[in-house]
Amino acid sequence: MAVAVITTMERMARWEPGARERLGAAALELYAARGFEQTTATDIAQSVGLTERTFFRYFADKREVLFGGQEVLQKIVVEAIASAPSESSTIETAMFALEALAEFFPDEQRAQSRLRQTVIVANPGLQERELLKLAALAQRIAGALVERGVVETHATLAAETGVAVFGVAFRQWISDEEARSFDEIQRDVFATLRLVTQA
Amino acid sequence: MAVAVITTMERMARWEPGARERLGAAALELYAARGFEQTTATDIAQSVGLTERTFFRYFADKREVLFGGQEVLQKIVVEAIASAPSESSTIETAMFALEALAEFFPDEQRAQSRLRQTVIVANPGLQERELLKLAALAQRIAGALVERGVVETHATLAAETGVAVFGVAFRQWISDEEARSFDEIQRDVFATLRLVTQA
């Protein structure tokens, strides 16, 4: 009998509709309010009426709430580069990847991205993780460019430059009172990059 | 009597001529041969006839052998930017900083830099530390540009682009059979960057 009850509870937890999204949103709120270190998985789960066990069904650990999208981002850039027109220049191809990334940050996402940034800025360990995430993204872009036959030096410069554009655009996108779309900001930053590097 | 002996030994250790350089070189050799994790401070000190205690007089820990120059590098770039001609463009000013850095890597240094790279490439934790060092360098360059009145977006793009150039130049400088000076390579990479971003 006890076994049957646990099984039913597990099923409910497993199929809880929208549990991942609710847990993720609750985690960001708690990390921002109390600090990342001070928040436990139990706190997060309980705040949305779920168990710690359910939390760990969706996230390997507390950090994954903040960095779980990394593989998806990498996959998007690699696919975008592979499908860029063959006549594109190296930097145009890198920009294809960034435009594909921009779709990952629609306006509806902006409030959550702001909250996430608050959490990361407050914690040096998370800041390091964020820098390493961007470095890994640049390496994936460079690798995908090399796959297309781009010389390694050119690929690395285009990739790191592209990720610098992405990073500056991202910080602008989540800044107070910024209303332009991610894509629009990123195009502006790219134009600025061309100006700066030619001056 | 025992006290007097210890004091004399301490004095000898403290004033050991070239101890820092000998310990640093021995550490690199051992890290490369045995692995960073597998080498102890005692191993390093003993290999050059010194004590562990002497090692810790020169280095806070094993990692400092690899990353101890970081503050010096940061100071060099900040000073170079502050002393750049006032009519220089933002990217020219960033390049002044990189040229000042190039002086830090004379040809005599190349063999040791190669050895250091071997150690870092073999250890993911050290690779992360290296990426964070470059990110910190970019932040210092950006900050020094903002001090000169450069708009933050331009400063960040020039700084990150500049550090990308530095990183590519560094990897080229330590590659097998490369004989050009760091400065010459870095100028070539910068020219490539301009080509790539305009294409």
Side-chain angles (χ1 to χ4, degrees), chain B:
Chain B
M1 187 59 199
V3 171
V5 170
I6 288 168
T7 308
T8 306
M9 282 177 64
E10 279 195 336
R11 274 210 194 113
M12 282 176 62
R14 207 182 296 271
W15 296 333
E16 188 76 47
R20 189 187 166 89
E21 290 65 29
R22 284 162 57 208
L23 286 164
L28 281 184
E29 294 284 354
L30 288 170
Y31 296 166
R34 299 185 188 175
F36 175 77
E37 301 292 355
Q38 288 73 40
T39 306
T40 68
T42 307
D43 296 337
I44 299 164
Q46 286 184 350
S47 76
V48 288
L50 296 171
T51 62
E52 184 192 22
R53 188 166 173 174
T54 306
F55 178 86
F56 287 117
R57 200 165 282 141
Y58 293 99
F59 300 102
D61 55 31
K62 285 195 307 171
R63 280 213 306 202
E64 206 193 313
V65 175
L66 301 165
F67 297 101
Q70 187 166 356
E71 279 106 56
V72 180
L73 288 186
Q74 292 185 354
K75 195 160 171 283
I76 286 171
V77 300
V78 168
E79 286 174 1
I81 289 171
S83 65
S86 57
E87 67 274 19
S88 309
S89 72
T90 300
I91 195 78
E92 279 170 356
T93 307
M95 279 306 293
F96 267 105
L98 298 192
E99 282 166 21
L101 276 188
E103 289 175 30
F104 213 68
F105 301 99
D107 287 347
E108 310 88 81
Q109 181 63 33
R110 188 160 3 201
Q112 272 220 333
S113 289
R114 278 183 181 135
L115 202 55
R116 178 181 177 279
Q117 188 74 1
T118 308
V119 175
I120 287 174
V121 164
N123 184 308
L126 297 176
Q127 283 174 47
E128 291 196 350
R129 184 58 37 203
E130 184 80 338
L131 285 170
L132 294 169
K133 188 181 97 170
L134 290 175
L137 190 63
Q139 282 171 4
R140 291 301 292 268
I141 294 176
L145 289 170
V146 168
E147 283 285 308
R148 279 172 69 98
V150 175
V151 177
E152 192 164 349
T153 302
H154 293 217
T156 302
L157 290 172
E160 296 195 357
T161 302
V163 170
V165 167
F166 171 77
V168 168
F170 185 81
R171 285 192 292 277
Q172 182 59 40
W173 182 63
I174 58 172
S175 64
D176 291 344
E177 299 177 35
E178 175 60 62
R180 290 173 299 161
S181 72
F182 194 101
D183 195 49
E184 187 182 346
I185 296 168
Q186 196 168 245
R187 284 166 195 271
D188 281 358
V189 175
F190 183 59
T192 303
L193 171 88
R194 289 193 160 184
L195 275 177
V196 167
T197 53
Q198 291 317 297

Side-chain angles (χ1 to χ4, degrees), chain A residues 86-99:
Chain A
S86 57
E87 67 273 20
S88 309
S89 72
T90 301
I91 195 77
E92 278 170 356
T93 307
M95 280 306 294
F96 266 105
L98 299 192
E99 282 166 22

Side-chain angles (χ1 to χ4, degrees), chain A residues 4-166:
Chain A
V5 169
I6 288 169
T7 307
T8 307
M9 281 176 66
E10 279 194 337
R11 275 210 193 112
M12 283 176 60
R14 207 182 296 272
W15 296 333
E16 187 79 44
R20 189 186 166 88
E21 290 66 29
R22 284 162 56 209
L23 286 164
L28 281 184
E29 294 285 355
L30 287 170
Y31 295 166
R34 298 184 190 177
F36 176 75
E37 301 293 354
Q38 288 74 39
T39 305
T40 68
T42 308
D43 295 337
I44 298 164
Q46 286 184 349
S47 77
V48 287
L50 296 170
T51 63
E52 184 192 22
R53 188 165 176 173
T54 306
F55 177 86
F56 287 116
R57 200 164 281 141
Y58 292 100
F59 301 101
D61 55 31
K62 284 195 308 170
R63 281 211 308 201
E64 206 193 312
V65 175
L66 300 166
F67 297 101
Q70 188 166 353
E71 279 106 55
V72 180
L73 288 186
Q74 292 185 353
K75 196 161 172 282
I76 286 172
V77 300
V78 169
E79 287 175 359
I81 289 170
S83 65
S86 57
E87 67 273 20
S88 309
S89 72
T90 301
I91 195 77
E92 278 170 356
T93 307
M95 280 306 294
F96 266 105
L98 299 192
E99 282 166 22
L101 277 188
E103 289 175 30
F104 214 68
F105 301 99
D107 287 347
E108 310 88 81
Q109 182 63 32
R110 186 158 5 200
Q112 273 221 331
S113 290
R114 279 184 179 135
L115 202 55
R116 178 180 177 279
Q117 188 73 2
T118 309
V119 174
I120 287 175
V121 165
N123 185 307
L126 298 176
Q127 282 174 46
E128 291 196 348
R129 184 59 36 202
E130 184 80 338
L131 286 170
L132 294 170
K133 188 181 97 170
L134 290 175
L137 190 63
Q139 282 172 3
R140 291 301 292 269
I141 293 175
L145 289 170
V146 168
E147 283 284 307
R148 279 172 68 99
V150 175
V151 177
E152 192 163 349
T153 302
H154 292 218
T156 303
L157 290 172
E160 296 194 358
T161 302
V163 170
V165 167
F166 171 76

